[in-house]
Amino acid sequence: MPITVVQHLPDACRPTWAEIHLGHLIHNFRAIRERVGEGVQICAVVKAEAYGHGAVVVARCLESAGADWFGVATVEEGAALREAGIARPILCFGVAPGQADLVLEYGLTPVVFEPALLEQLEARARAAQTVLAVHVEVDTGMGRVGVPVRELADVLRALGRFSHVRLDGLMTHLAAADDPARAEFTREQIARFRQALQMAEALGFHPRYRHLANSAGVRAYPEAWGNMVRPGGLLYGLWSGPRASTHPEIVLETPAGRRALQPVLSLHTRIVFLKEVDAGTPLGYGSAFVTSRPSRIATLPIGYHDGYRRALSNCGRVLVRGRFAPVVGRVSMDWTLVDVTDIPEARVGDEVILIGRADGRQITAEELAEWCGTISYEITCSISARVPRVIVPAE
Ligand SMILES: *Cc1c(COP(=O)(O)O)cnc(C)c1O
């Protein structure tokens, strides 16, 4: 089910929504632009519905802000952007066998690491009487996809025999650039990529684009920028690295100064039910919480089907009237309970912030991630289609 994106939350709607702050998105994009400079192209990664923010709305906004390329995980994602009128080049990280026709039909630029796919693309491009630009991914240490460096020469020689596919880019993906403790590994990856590039040049290839850097590479490894970078998380004000929650500010160093990135997504609901209970009252599935004092318990219409993870049971917290209220009992599929005993002004209808800030207090996706044993990317990606995304335009 696609994500619902609206300009305003309808009146007669379940009061659980995410806000997508386009001003913050543009701010983050500009900070990345300032960091890498004008000479490096930016491939804005909008795969997975732009990490749960809504791929079309994000891509439209970034296209106007000056993104050079868009990066998607699948041909289907690329096709959806084209259907929505996105005109910039789209780099598709994962083309499945049998999708060569769609690649041509939608004008996508495929990332290739499988000789069989190259053959299919060559055949389809020949039939369409066109020359298709492709980027070849080299595996320098990620160990996921990519041509192993020692097989690169063979793949390139095969490519050189084709007349309807052209090597336009050489790329690799960094595995651990967000972890300062693994800096040596990252530098080895960068060195292996340089070798791969030299190998390609020795074989007579001069790929126009040379790119390695994800968000972590943008932030920490200028030597990995090549002439294009592929940030995802940073655009959304998210960070994937270890102990992200202890550094609530995600900062980019730019020639013009330090730029703190701004979270693009906030998550909201409202109190729909409020009750006073005695000490000793069991709450929710498994009675996993029992009150130890007379308590006021608020019920929120959000649960794990919305992406408010069950791991937050008895450990998350939310903001009510600018104050923290703990999650009590198990998060269920559609409902979550919070203890508002210490917020006596709380009323039915009050807005509740699950990710975001109010009155100087903040809950980040990184904090939620830490409570759940994951990274912030998974938190925003998991916010389901049941939660409408409300667009907050840039001022
Ligand atoms: C997801 C992805 C990125 C973006 O990663 P971030 O950590 O979000 O910046 C870049 N390149 C490839 C190939 C990816 O799969």
Side-chain angles (χ1 to χ4, degrees), residues 27-307:
H27 167 90
N28 296 341
F29 176 81
R30 289 190 182 144
I32 295 168
R33 171 61 79 208
E34 277 185 89
R35 171 137 179 86
V36 302
E38 294 294 334
V40 174
Q41 298 212 353
I42 298 176
C43 174
V45 176
V46 295
K47 64 189 180 190
E49 282 290 7
Y51 298 35
H53 295 65
V56 167
V57 66
V58 163
R60 282 191 182 138
C61 175
L62 292 178
E63 196 167 51
S64 325
D68 303 289
W69 282 73
F70 292 103
V72 296
T74 69
V75 168
E76 288 81 354
E77 291 176 351
L81 291 185
R82 286 285 183 249
E83 301 277 1
I86 294 298
R88 305 296 308 168
I90 297 176
L91 189 62
C92 182
F93 302 143
V95 177
Q99 291 190 302
D101 276 330
L102 291 172
V103 165
L104 285 153
E105 181 182 338
Y106 286 101
L108 308 178
T109 305
V111 170
V112 186
F113 41 84
E114 248 297 307
L117 177 63
L118 265 184
E119 276 170 42
Q120 292 166 15
L121 291 168
E122 164 74 10
R124 295 306 178 193
R126 178 189 298 271
Q129 297 184 323
T130 182
V131 175
L132 179 70
V134 305
H135 291 215
V136 165
E137 179 165 358
V138 191
D139 183 8
T140 56
M142 178 69 180
R144 184 175 67 175
V145 292
V147 180
V149 176
R150 63 169 184 282
E151 290 170 25
L152 182 63
D154 287 342
V155 171
L156 291 182
R157 281 194 202 99
L159 202 153
R161 288 192 288 272
F162 292 146
S163 48
H164 294 80
V165 289
R166 183 185 78 229
L167 183 71
D168 214 33
L170 194 69
M171 64 179 277
T172 193
H173 196 45
L174 301 176
D178 55 3
D179 186 352
R182 313 273 327 272
E184 200 174 323
F185 181 78
T186 301
R187 283 194 286 266
E188 274 169 33
Q189 280 202 273
I190 297 168
R192 275 186 214 124
F193 185 72
R194 290 212 180 102
Q195 282 168 14
L197 200 56
Q198 281 162 7
M199 202 185 287
E201 296 196 331
L203 290 167
F205 293 94
H206 303 285
R208 179 145 66 119
Y209 296 100
R210 304 168 296 277
H211 47 111
L212 318 75
N214 54 1
S215 290
V218 167
R219 195 169 175 206
Y221 294 92
E223 66 271 37
W225 292 348
N227 61 357
M228 183 156 89
V229 293
R230 307 185 309 267
L234 287 184
L235 290 168
Y236 312 110
L238 300 175
W239 182 244
S240 58
R243 293 184 311 283
S245 71
T246 56
H247 307 284
E249 294 270 85
I250 301 164
V251 175
L252 284 189
E253 305 283 348
T254 82
R258 289 159 64 83
R259 297 281 179 270
L261 302 185
Q262 296 166 351
V264 173
L265 179 144
S266 56
L267 183 62
H268 310 248
T269 188
R270 289 186 189 279
I271 296 176
V272 292
F273 189 59
L274 198 53
K275 60 182 179 291
E276 315 256 349
V277 301
D278 297 332
T281 304
L283 297 172
Y285 281 121
S287 308
F289 187 89
V290 179
T291 54
S292 59
R293 57 175 180 170
S295 303
R296 287 179 86 225
I297 303 299
T299 303
L300 311 179
I302 186 167
Y304 60 78
H305 178 60
D306 301 290

